Amino acid sequence: MNRIVHLGPGAFFKAHLAAYTQDAADAGDRWDVVAISLLSARAKAEFQGPYTLLERSLDGTRPRQIDVVREVLHLGADREAAMAALVSPETKVVSLTVTEKAYAHGGADSVPHLLASTLDARRAAGIAPFTCLSCDNLPSNGAGLRRLVGAWSDVEDVAFPSTMVDRITPARTASTLAEGGPAAEECEAFRQWVIEDDFPQGRPAWEAGGAQFVSDVTPYEKMKLRMLNGAHSMIAYAGVVRGFQTVREAMADAEIANRVRAHMTAAAATLNPLPCADFAAYGEALEARFRNPHLAHETYQIAMDGSQKMPQRVLAPALDALERGQDISPFAFATAAWLAYLRGPHELRDPRAEELTPPTQEHIFALPDLVPPALAQSPLWRRAVAAALEMF
């Protein structure tokens, strides 16, 4: 049996990669998935076999049973079994949803080191390397993972395809479990997966679920990061500051809804034309998704880890817009909303939380590896952010 080992079995994995793998199985190409939780033992404790995925659209909810996830291990408690699964010749793909901050840490106890040591063990045993498949919301995620793993091992013969993933997956609630059972997850009906087709050891027939295979995923991920994720972060920060608990509540506010449209228009202007992509239509579809009345996606959940998300979602397009003489005000508003969010009084869930104090424009703009220097030093940008900050 061909196998995928997945690192980081959270809600997004269960709603995205596992769902696509279920589609492949339903089409006759079954791959089993062994999931490994790296930190918390919660995923293992909650695993009860097949689970229900509640796919919510404007027309209602469609329940699906997902049974391709065969086992969930905890790396700390089940290290021997986890390593055996990673080294097994049956394992052809190792996929990851470990969030942005896991890629900022490359020490000896990190995900890159774990992958490198496993690849070394396979090489020593004469077993071909698995494909490393990042499904995290980062630009050039495959190339980034290759660089990190390559710091610990020779990866010349290892495939690291980049991907673009998209599916809104709110944190489950008591109503989720009441409707779908003790292991249920909920998500929007919409989903998208664009993948560079580089799988030397094979892969499931994910195209059965609509996955799109391309030679270069970069323009697709840039479109999503700047239009969807950038607007999503802006909604989250403005929403938390103004007392909106969910995205749909924030979108009912006329000012925020107008800000969303302006943000996506400005973000689209920084993109190069993409075949088969209508940026205006994409923006309209995103707005409809944000308004979905059946999804209670919490603004506070989206707002976490801003120091890891803002650079590619908001600050990079802001710099492009500045250099092209385009409208920077939507990006300035999103940045000001983040600065206002950093003031609290809520807990700041961010790996750089201590550095983000005091949450002033001067201090934040001076931090290393956060705001691009050319942007941070621009008087036009600084004035635009300061003016937007007065709105909060």
Side-chain angles (χ1 to χ4, degrees):
M1 171 67 71
N2 290 323
R3 176 192 296 153
I4 299 168
V5 171
H6 184 82
L7 307 181
F12 183 77
F13 152 73
K14 294 169 75 175
H16 197 267
L17 184 141
Y20 276 98
T21 304
Q22 185 68 54
D23 291 328
D26 294 344
D29 184 22
R30 186 174 187 88
W31 288 52
D32 283 346
V33 182
V34 173
I36 300 175
S37 177
L38 303 176
L39 298 175
S40 171
R42 180 178 174 181
K44 178 185 176 180
E46 293 178 346
F47 180 69
Q48 301 179 29
Y51 61 91
T52 299
L53 183 63
L54 302 172
E55 299 179 331
R56 304 196 189 279
S57 70
L58 294 175
D59 298 325
T61 298
R62 174 198 176 206
R64 295 188 61 194
Q65 186 177 70
I66 308 296
D67 66 13
V68 292
V69 183
R70 309 299 293 178
E71 186 177 19
V72 176
L73 303 171
H74 178 235
L75 185 61
D78 308 306
R79 191 171 188 88
E80 185 175 344
M83 296 305 293
L86 286 164
V87 176
S88 169
E90 294 182 343
T91 298
K92 312 294 187 183
V93 176
V94 173
S95 53
L96 304 85
T97 47
V98 291
T99 74
E100 289 91 340
K101 55 190 171 187
Y103 294 81
H105 171 50
D109 59 344
S110 66
V111 170
H113 184 263
L114 173 64
L115 291 173
S117 61
T118 305
L119 287 165
D120 287 343
R122 292 174 71 100
R123 191 174 291 115
I127 302 170
F130 46 65
T131 295
C132 296
L133 183 66
S134 172
C135 298
D136 284 295
N137 200 15
L138 290 166
S140 303
N141 51 18
L145 186 60
R146 173 185 287 277
R147 177 180 54 79
L148 291 170
V149 177
W152 295 97
S153 179
D154 179 12
V155 295
E156 185 176 353
D157 60 344
V158 184
F160 290 84
S162 287
T163 68
M164 185 270 267
V165 298
D166 188 7
R167 190 169 220 181
I168 296 173
T169 308
R172 63 184 177 185
T173 64
S175 61
T176 310
L177 304 182
E179 183 177 352
E185 298 288 353
E186 65 174 279
C187 60
E188 65 173 336
F190 176 91
R191 60 180 177 173
Q192 187 175 21
W193 199 8
V194 183
I195 315 168
E196 292 175 352
D197 200 359
D198 185 13
F199 294 83
Q201 305 303 316
R203 58 167 176 79
W206 285 317
E207 54 265 65
Q212 182 180 359
F213 289 90
V214 300
S215 59
D216 182 12
V217 76
T218 304
Y220 297 90
E221 65 189 13
K222 184 178 286 189
M223 177 183 72
K224 175 180 178 277
L225 280 166
R226 295 188 173 192
M227 293 186 68
L228 188 157
N229 298 124
H232 224 195
S233 288
M234 185 273 286
I235 294 169
Y237 297 126
V240 169
V241 172
R242 294 182 175 177
F244 297 115
Q245 293 188 340
T246 65
V247 171
R248 67 188 183 195
E249 291 172 357
M251 287 298 293
D253 180 86
E255 182 193 355
I256 291 181
N258 287 334
R259 294 283 182 184
V260 167
R261 296 187 198 101
H263 190 105
M264 290 193 287
T265 298
T270 70
L271 301 171
N272 294 324
L274 182 59
C276 304
D278 181 331
F279 295 145
Y282 182 61
E284 291 174 2
L286 291 178
E287 185 176 347
R289 291 168 62 193
F290 293 159
R291 293 182 183 277
N292 189 335
H294 303 293
L295 285 180
H297 202 181
E298 295 183 355
T299 51
Y300 186 50
Q301 176 194 5
I302 303 165
M304 68 187 299
D305 301 334
S307 68
Q308 310 301 301
K309 297 174 179 177
M310 286 291 290
Q312 64 266 18
R313 296 184 177 193
V314 174
L315 301 176
L319 179 58
D320 284 353
L322 181 68
E323 292 176 340
R324 296 178 183 184
Q326 297 171 345
D327 184 12
I328 61 171
S329 60
F331 307 116
F333 180 84
T335 302
W338 181 48
L339 293 174
Y341 165 83
L342 293 179
R343 296 171 180 168
H346 41 261
E347 177 189 358
L348 185 58
R349 300 181 295 178
D350 193 292
R352 299 182 68 175
E354 292 185 3
E355 296 179 72
L356 298 172
T357 300
T360 63
Q361 180 175 327
E362 285 295 326
H363 175 73
I364 299 301
F365 281 15
L367 289 175
D369 303 318
L370 187 55
V371 182
L375 189 64
Q377 296 165 13
S378 165
L380 182 62
W381 171 252
R382 298 175 73 89
R383 287 195 300 270
V385 174
L389 197 53
E390 293 179 359
M391 303 178 192
F392 292 95

